[in-house]
Amino acid sequence: MRIAMVSEHASPLAALGGVDAGGQNVYVARLSEELARRGHDVTVYTRRDAADLPDRVALPGGAVVEHVPAGPAAPVPKDELFPHMPAFGAWLARAWARERPDVVHAHFWMSGLASRIGAHPHGVPVVQTFHALGTVKRRHQGRLDTSPPERVGVERQIGRGCARVLATCTDEVHELADMGVPPGQVSVVPCGVDAGHFRPGAAPGGVPARRARHRLLACGRLVPRKGYDQAVRALARIPDTELLIAGGPPAGLLDEDPEAQRLRRLARSAGVADRVRMLGAVDPAAMPALIGSADLVLCTPVYEPFGIVPLEAMACGVPVVATDVGGHRDSVADGVTGRLVAPQDPGAVAAVVRELLGHDALRRRQGAAGRERVLAHYTWRRVADGVQQVHHQVLAGHAQQKEVA
């Protein structure tokens, strides 16, 4: 099968940890690699954001990344990319006239728009993964939402008009239904994690030495919606415990980062500055050992479309305390692989953390159960199985429609 992956802002080649580089980049990279290893011809189309990038770059496993000229050959915040999508789509239409894909898989709403423009002249079916929905973002961020005003309307059109929406969690199915996308047009396939890389017992080289009896870890993109402030506030009620925050720019640039500055001010006002350490960007190779050094991993966003960090923690055998939102409701088995707590309630976070830190055997059981859950449901092999099945179903349905026509 010839598969075109379209990911306009989230290149599988990008360094993780930046404001616009996170779970979607990992998802596109690993899914493309896994599908290519199965013999599919996979090309990932992403926007050229530097003049010196090669036209094509090979990924491990045989997939290829192709850089699409759309807008300036320079970094552009994703919320400012919308005006360049017609050019992106027109370029795809020309490329696919030369070599037509069997199926297009679009990632994020702007990729869906570009994919529709590119695929329509050639009658190619489009599968859409939103990764995040504008309705949810607008609900939680209100006036702080920097998305283009067209986003919600375009998402609604894409969801209703594509061949299939591939949601990453059951919570998204309900959100899509509220947008008018019939549940029968939606398939649920979760995100995944590299359970070979993220595993218990990773070599501890480079992990910071403990400064307290217990260690909590929070990691991911350093942006307000990730809710690190909730973890900092909770720490004030958790004695003899340190909090490590991994993510954002390199450590040497944290002093210039607005969110790092905000969290440091909060830590000082909460009286826990001496127990909060911000690590900045951490080498992905070092993340399993860092996760494994923690007693608990905290994932406390206000909302989370899916959330890969809980999977990484569970794969490493570390229990998770996560807010009861979005994809966390699917991935974290409450009371089995960790605990779910109400969002924006640092008191609830603190109470659960204190309980778990007081029961070593319980944490070990939950950590082991998390590893088992990942191996059963969340490896990239499992994810690729589900996506491949959806692609085949879409192709079969498309062929039947052509026969009827």
Side-chain angles (χ1 to χ4, degrees):
M1 190 187 314
R2 183 175 290 119
I3 303 169
M5 296 280 187
V6 182
S7 183
E8 94 293 332
H9 76 275
S11 170
L13 303 173
L16 301 182
V19 173
D20 291 334
Q24 183 178 329
N25 304 70
V26 174
Y27 181 98
V28 172
R30 295 312 308 274
L31 176 61
S32 298
E33 292 168 10
E34 181 64 32
L35 291 173
R37 288 192 182 100
R38 300 178 180 206
H40 299 294
D41 183 346
V42 182
T43 301
V44 181
Y45 297 90
T46 193
R47 198 185 73 85
R48 178 183 292 278
D49 60 5
D52 59 350
L53 288 174
D55 292 338
R56 294 169 65 86
V57 179
L59 290 174
V64 173
V65 175
E66 189 146 342
H67 292 112
V68 176
V76 176
K78 71 172 183 281
D79 287 334
E80 299 176 15
L81 287 174
F82 179 65
H84 304 300
M85 290 305 101
F88 197 120
W91 190 95
L92 292 176
R94 294 190 295 272
W96 294 341
R98 297 189 296 271
E99 188 174 41
R100 180 186 181 278
D102 297 309
V103 64
V104 174
H105 191 158
H107 300 271
F108 203 57
W109 70 280
M110 283 184 286
S111 293
L113 176 60
S115 295
R116 288 182 65 181
I117 295 170
H120 179 73
H122 313 297
V124 181
V126 176
V127 174
Q128 176 70 40
T129 299
F130 285 107
H131 293 279
L133 290 170
T135 52
V136 178
K137 185 177 181 183
R138 184 172 296 176
R139 182 187 314 143
H140 289 284
Q141 295 192 3
R143 294 180 179 179
L144 298 178
D145 181 8
T146 57
S147 299
E150 298 90 347
R151 176 174 179 174
V152 172
V154 171
E155 284 182 340
R156 187 174 287 112
Q157 292 174 2
I158 292 170
R160 295 172 178 176
C162 67
R164 184 71 59 87
V165 177
L166 202 161
T168 56
C169 66
T170 52
D171 192 67
E172 187 179 349
V173 178
H174 303 311
E175 294 287 350
L176 289 164
D178 289 342
M179 294 166 53
V181 180
Q185 194 177 324
V186 182
S187 299
V188 178
V189 180
C191 298
V193 66
D194 184 345
H197 179 61
F198 290 95
R199 68 189 191 282
V207 174
R210 285 202 182 201
R211 297 178 183 173
R213 179 183 177 188
H214 294 296
R215 170 174 289 178
L216 309 176
L217 174 68
C219 49
R221 288 186 295 141
L222 199 61
V223 293
R225 81 164 182 85
K226 290 297 184 179
Y228 300 116
D229 56 340
Q230 303 301 301
V232 172
R233 289 188 171 94
L235 188 66
R237 310 181 195 191
I238 308 169
D240 202 10
T241 302
E242 65 177 353
L243 170 65
L244 272 56
I245 300 176
L253 299 178
L254 282 173
D255 290 344
E256 304 170 18
D257 184 88
E259 181 65 0
Q261 293 171 4
R262 182 178 79 95
L263 294 172
R264 283 173 170 166
R265 288 194 300 269
L266 177 60
R268 287 193 296 269
S269 66
V272 295
D274 60 329
R275 296 193 285 132
V276 175
R277 280 191 279 174
M278 303 195 67
L279 306 180
V282 174
D283 186 336
M287 281 304 301
L290 181 62
I291 292 172
S293 76
D295 296 296
L296 297 168
V297 170
L298 304 188
C299 303
T300 54
V302 176
Y303 71 96
E304 186 61 82
F306 183 80
I308 286 181
V309 172
L311 298 186
E312 294 173 344
M314 290 158 57
C316 291
V318 178
V320 179
V321 176
T323 44
D324 186 12
V325 297
H328 291 173
R329 294 168 176 160
D330 285 2
S331 58
V332 180
D334 188 30
V336 179
T337 68
R339 292 291 301 277
L340 293 173
V341 297
Q344 295 184 299
D345 189 346
V349 174
V352 166
V353 168
R354 288 196 305 268
E355 177 187 349
L356 291 175
L357 291 181
H359 293 82
D360 294 351
L362 175 60
R363 292 202 311 279
R364 287 194 293 270
R365 288 197 300 272
Q366 291 189 347
R371 175 73 181 177
E372 292 175 3
R373 184 170 176 80
V374 162
L375 294 177
H377 301 290
Y378 295 106
T379 64
W380 285 112
R381 178 180 177 183
R382 293 284 191 183
V383 173
D385 286 344
V387 173
Q388 183 176 256
Q389 183 179 22
V390 170
H391 287 173
H392 282 306
Q393 290 171 347
V394 165
L395 279 178
H398 187 65
Q400 290 177 353
Q401 290 178 355
K402 289 176 66 175
E403 289 178 3
V404 171

